[in-house]
Amino acid sequence: MIYRIDVRTSTLEARGDNAGVDPFGEALRRQIEEFSAGDVGPIRTRRIFLIDTEADPASMQRVADELLADPIVERAEVSGNGNEDKSASRIEVHLKPGVMDPVASSTEMAIRDMGLPVREVRTGRAFLFEKALPEAELSKIASHVLANGVIESVHFQPFVPSEFARGYDYQFQLRLVPLRELSDEQLVKLSREAHLFLSPAEMKAIRSYYREQGREPTDIELEMIAQTWSEHCVHKTLKSAVDVEVRDAGGRALETRHYGNLIKETIFASTMRLMQDRPGFCLSVFADNAGVIAFDEIDAVCFKVETHNHPSAIEPYGGSATGIGGVIRDVLGTGLAARPVANTDVFCVAFPERDREERREDAGTRRRGEIAPSNLAASPSPRVSASPLPKGIIHPKRILRQVVAGVRDYGNRMGIPTVNGAVYFDDRYLGNPLVFCGCVGILPRDKIAKAAQFGDAVVVMGGRTGRDGIHGATFSSAELTDTHADEFSHAVQIGNAITEKKMADVILAARDRGLFTAVTDCGAGGLSSAVGEMGEQFGASVDLEKVPLKYAGLRYDEIWISEAQERMVLSVPPDRLEALLRLAADEDVETTVIGTFGTPNRQIILRYQGTEVGRLSMEFLHHGIPMPTRKAVVSATRAADAPPVAPKPIAGVKEHLLALLAHPNIASKHWVIRQYDHEVQGGSAIKPLVGPLQMGPSDAAVVRPKLGSHRGVVLGCGLAPHVQDPYEMALWAIDEAVRNVVAVGADPAQVAILDNFCWPSVDDEQTMGTLVRACEACRDAALAYGIPFISGKDSLHNQFTNQETGEVLRIPNTLLISAIGVVDDVRRCVTMDLKADKDALLLVEPSAGPSATPAQRAAVHRGLARAIAARSVVAAHDCSEGGLAVALAEMCIGSGLGAILIKDLDDAAFFEEFPARYIVETTPAEEARERFDALVGEGLKVTYLGDVSDTRELILARRHIIIPIDAMRNAWRGTLHW
């Protein structure tokens, strides 16, 4: 029998004040009104549990009272249909069959722990409206705010199924794919229809391989090749050979150059050179799941940032949650397992509240010399766009809410602080939002090296395998269209943070006991990628029927390529296997032996119920992909080389500054930050928000991964998609990331950086040229700054095609740079909030100003780092969006102290933006400023601006302009209250 239990809030009703008001319902009401002109009235909410069990009603009432409801604030009713609710309209949202439901899984386990029988639990939510609303309006509310049709079903009456839909036992049938005799055109068709997303050249290489083998491929073999060769997994564009042609503005060829391997000869090459100059700092680069640098004599720290863009476009909550869960597993799979100590995230989405056409007009780029960022020209924001969204696109406001919630829930539940990040708005992300998730871990230096051994057992640990996540790797390597939500609903994954937390604890304990020789996560491609990568040197054999499943009915190929979450693969020596299995069993973490590493002739052999279903050469799998030479065209004329834009007078500096502070790309992100637990683990030294009221936006985060030490890790990031020229865009992003960590006290000599390239399709020569220029900028900046890249990731084909209209929405070229540094003593770090009345305020920048070279900018960072180390700086803040004006306003907002600017600044100096600029607070004595000048060295320009003031006003003395801190704070915090 299926029982239904409804859980509702009861506290307010019991007290008698505001009877019937539901806090969660009230929040939803406000969200719904953003998408509707009228007031939908009060809403009450219910949590629904559907329980399939043979237990009697009394037992179910016990479950309701003791397990599902908090008796102080909630009331649970075992009813069948919720008829006790006097509502005029109702929306119920239930997960579709087969979708991962962590709450249901936990509830099942708890019911069994109570000694009661249970077959299955499913959950849902009910939303009860006091007003009678037409079904069309309810459908609109459900689709815009309450439900995602990809993973959830919507009902307008109480829902209790007579029985749950269940999987059926799979009847094994080996499937061959006739391929050897297909024409080139038929190969292309097969690639798309089978969701392989391989190029014609790659499909021809596969055809040649099977002609040599004298047989047709099985379906599982094709799936494994497609996963291994996907852009997401092998990064074949950045690793390709490239012929670069430089053309002038008229299209004439000026010069050519060639790269045999683009990324190896740019970014990798710069790191290799720097490692020779700084031996012992980089301990593992571009070789493992995360880059590893030295922390102290005993431990190392690792850092990885991943993207989860396409999944988040379809199901933003699950996409971001599994994005952060996946990058945590990357850290767990680095070396012999690192312990996660901090998370980061960056979201790039369309403007949530302004009309898209209106935004497009002011979404231009900033060029050197502009006095104000044209894409930050603030103006009143209507509630939502009046024009309909293209088919297949989720509203950007809902995207942002849900990606924040996904990272929040997963990170908080795993007990990992989320300490650093950013949100960037641009309407070019409408069809393809970008979701970056990062994780930092710490591991013993003697646990960095790993390698599976011949004869080791292939062990899978953690969550069970389901259909969720199938074709995730190949799907992420393709362009989105308006059909992808339906076509790739099986690629959506829902994570279970508690399962991953338990698994992580077991893996770390097993590491310390030396129970395995290698570990990696089941990321893109699932078991296919994990076992395939670990067994590259000597092969592996796997019995697929041994893999634990969430439900019956999975085919053998689905078992192999599923990316279902919370799973790791370990290579375990036979003599340590029993100890590992016993440890996992004691912690209730499912762990299963599914095969053995090592086969004759270095092959991977797959069996299902005793029948061989796949056999592939590791040599062909990992090295058989054809790497054709690509063509790239770059322009010799860069936007940054154009003459500076003539300064335009600003009608009202005060009004302009307040408008900038209110712009979504500058305004406070406290509504995001305060959803994250950044104090868990107790190591947070500099928080995301700083100052007496914890209100100022910190440039970077500082954490202590070892609580017995004052040594710390600094984390920052930078991106500049508003800069048109790809070379300059990359330089700006790198400089911002370095500025952020230096501003809190990091020494550039102890800093490393990571790259995340997110580009639209690079199939045309010009776009490929922009990617080449960004890589060249990364190389040049790394060498000039003396800062190595240690890890990276690319996500290409980030564009959306509306198949009804043919419109293509391409994201801007986006390079996220993440910086990690090590500081000897976190107590010597500084924050951006002003500290004391009458302290001096200095502007530190390159002597060459906007035209400074990377080497000249690097000198600024090194000089400020010396000054901070010498204790000559009490506050520092980087000048970024909005220039000096916004940076100084943020320092006032963060501290509650004002500033009096004596220096006469024109509009250009006040609002101009370019790299390598800081505002610094020092002690007021003249000799202290002189000592500061001596510390920073030559090549820097240090300008005395004025002094800190206790007036609670920003005063431009020479221009007789007074801007109260309260006005700046209200503007900065007055938007995006979600």
Side-chain angles (χ1 to χ4, degrees), residues 122-141:
R122 296 188 183 177
T123 66
R125 295 163 292 150
F127 307 93
L128 313 178
F129 298 78
E130 290 189 7
K131 280 190 175 183
L133 301 173
E135 188 166 309
E137 182 69 14
L138 292 173
S139 297
K140 179 181 177 182
I141 291 170

Side-chain angles (χ1 to χ4, degrees), residues 345-366:
D345 62 7
V346 174
F347 306 126
C348 298
V349 298
F351 284 100
E353 299 197 64
R354 296 245 343 245
D355 182 89
R356 295 197 313 281
E357 295 302 323
E358 198 176 323
R359 279 293 185 188
R360 194 167 288 121
E361 293 178 2
D362 64 22
T365 60
R366 290 173 281 183

Side-chain angles (χ1 to χ4, degrees), residues 604-615:
I604 187 155
I605 302 170
L606 306 175
R607 292 181 295 266
Y608 185 80
Q609 296 179 350
T611 300
E612 185 176 296
V613 295
R615 180 184 290 260

Side-chain angles (χ1 to χ4, degrees), residues 631-684:
K631 182 73 178 292
V633 173
V634 302
S635 173
T637 304
R638 296 186 300 177
D641 291 334
V645 177
K648 299 176 183 178
I650 295 174
V653 168
K654 175 180 177 180
E655 291 75 14
H656 192 73
L657 175 57
L658 294 179
L660 284 173
L661 288 171
H663 190 280
N665 279 342
I666 291 177
S668 173
K669 306 304 185 296
H670 66 278
W671 68 272
V672 176
I673 294 167
R674 298 196 189 283
Q675 295 184 56
Y676 299 148
D677 186 342
H678 49 267
E679 299 289 357
V680 66
Q681 297 191 21
S684 179

Side-chain angles (χ1 to χ4, degrees), residues 228-551:
T228 307
W229 291 8
S230 67
E231 186 72 66
H232 185 85
C233 293
V234 78
H235 317 296
K236 53 196 175 189
T237 297
L238 281 169
K239 291 180 179 178
S240 65
V242 185
D243 286 330
V244 184
E245 184 178 278
V246 182
R247 297 178 182 173
D248 64 14
R252 293 181 304 166
L254 300 178
E255 63 173 294
T256 61
R257 51 182 177 267
H258 175 79
Y259 292 102
N261 180 316
L262 176 60
I263 196 168
K264 184 177 180 179
E265 296 173 28
T266 55
I267 296 174
F268 290 7
S270 65
T271 294
M272 295 303 107
R273 282 181 55 183
L274 293 171
M275 287 177 66
Q276 295 176 0
D277 299 334
R278 294 165 59 185
F281 177 65
C282 294
L283 303 180
S284 175
V285 298
F286 299 108
D288 206 336
N289 291 339
V292 185
I293 61 173
F295 179 69
D296 57 23
E297 294 182 355
I298 299 172
D299 292 307
V301 287
C302 62
F303 193 15
K304 179 63 175 289
V305 178
E306 278 276 8
T307 57
H308 231 220
N309 304 335
H310 288 158
S312 299
I314 289 180
E315 209 300 284
Y317 180 86
S320 65
T322 54
I324 198 69
V327 80
I328 292 168
R329 291 194 303 277
D330 276 330
V331 164
L332 279 171
T334 296
L336 288 173
R339 175 174 61 86
V341 297
N343 288 338
T344 68
D345 62 7
V346 174
F347 306 126
C348 298
V349 298
F351 284 100
E353 299 197 64
R354 296 245 343 245
D355 182 89
R356 295 197 313 281
E357 295 302 323
E358 198 176 323
R359 279 293 185 188
R360 194 167 288 121
E361 293 178 2
D362 64 22
T365 60
R366 290 173 281 183
R367 293 192 295 172
R368 189 182 67 204
E370 290 190 25
I371 59 173
S374 56
N375 71 320
L376 298 186
S379 57
S381 300
R383 183 168 290 170
V384 292
S385 169
S387 57
L389 292 171
K391 178 184 176 183
I393 289 179
I394 299 174
H395 195 286
K397 177 170 282 190
R398 183 170 179 192
I399 289 275
L400 185 54
R401 279 198 184 107
Q402 291 294 300
V403 295
V404 169
V407 171
R408 173 199 68 205
D409 289 350
Y410 210 101
N412 289 0
R413 289 167 184 168
M414 280 204 69
I416 303 171
T418 301
V419 296
N420 185 253
V423 180
Y424 188 88
F425 297 99
D426 189 312
D427 273 334
R428 290 172 291 178
Y429 297 115
L430 181 67
N432 214 128
L434 303 183
V435 172
F436 302 92
C437 300
C439 186
V440 177
I442 185 167
L443 75 162
R445 294 177 68 151
D446 63 356
K447 303 291 186 184
I448 295 174
K450 67 178 179 184
Q453 303 299 313
F454 197 102
D456 281 0
V458 179
V459 176
V460 61
M461 176 183 291
R464 292 192 162 207
T465 298
R467 283 199 173 89
D468 41 319
I470 289 175
H471 289 137
T474 53
F475 162 59
S476 296
S477 304
E479 171 186 324
L480 287 178
T481 70
D482 54 15
T483 66
H484 274 61
D486 298 325
E487 187 177 0
F488 287 96
S489 61
H490 55 268
V492 173
Q493 305 164 59
I494 303 296
N496 188 338
I498 303 305
T499 296
E500 182 159 334
K501 171 60 175 169
K502 292 165 59 179
M503 178 184 68
D505 291 345
V506 169
I507 287 176
L508 291 171
R511 177 202 70 185
D512 294 340
R513 300 182 192 182
L515 298 183
F516 56 88
T517 60
V519 60
T520 196
D521 72 304
C522 292
L527 291 169
S528 173
S529 64
V531 180
E533 292 170 8
M534 293 175 71
E536 178 182 353
Q537 297 306 313
F538 34 72
S541 61
V542 174
D543 296 300
L544 294 168
E545 76 279 0
K546 295 181 179 179
V547 177
L549 304 180
K550 294 178 181 177
Y551 36 77

Side-chain angles (χ1 to χ4, degrees), residues 693-709:
L693 299 178
Q694 297 289 285
M695 196 174 291
S698 182
D699 292 287
V702 180
V703 297
R704 288 187 303 139
K706 300 170 70 171
L707 298 184
S709 167

Side-chain angles (χ1 to χ4, degrees), residues 16 29 57 135 176 192 260 316 377 380 388 402 463-464 523 543 564 635 673 711 797 815 819 924-925 944:
R29 182 186 66 80
E135 188 166 309
L176 299 178
R192 180 60 183 86
Q402 291 294 300
R464 292 192 162 207
D543 296 300
S635 173
I673 294 167
R711 201 168 184 84
H797 306 290
L815 173 63
Y944 170 62

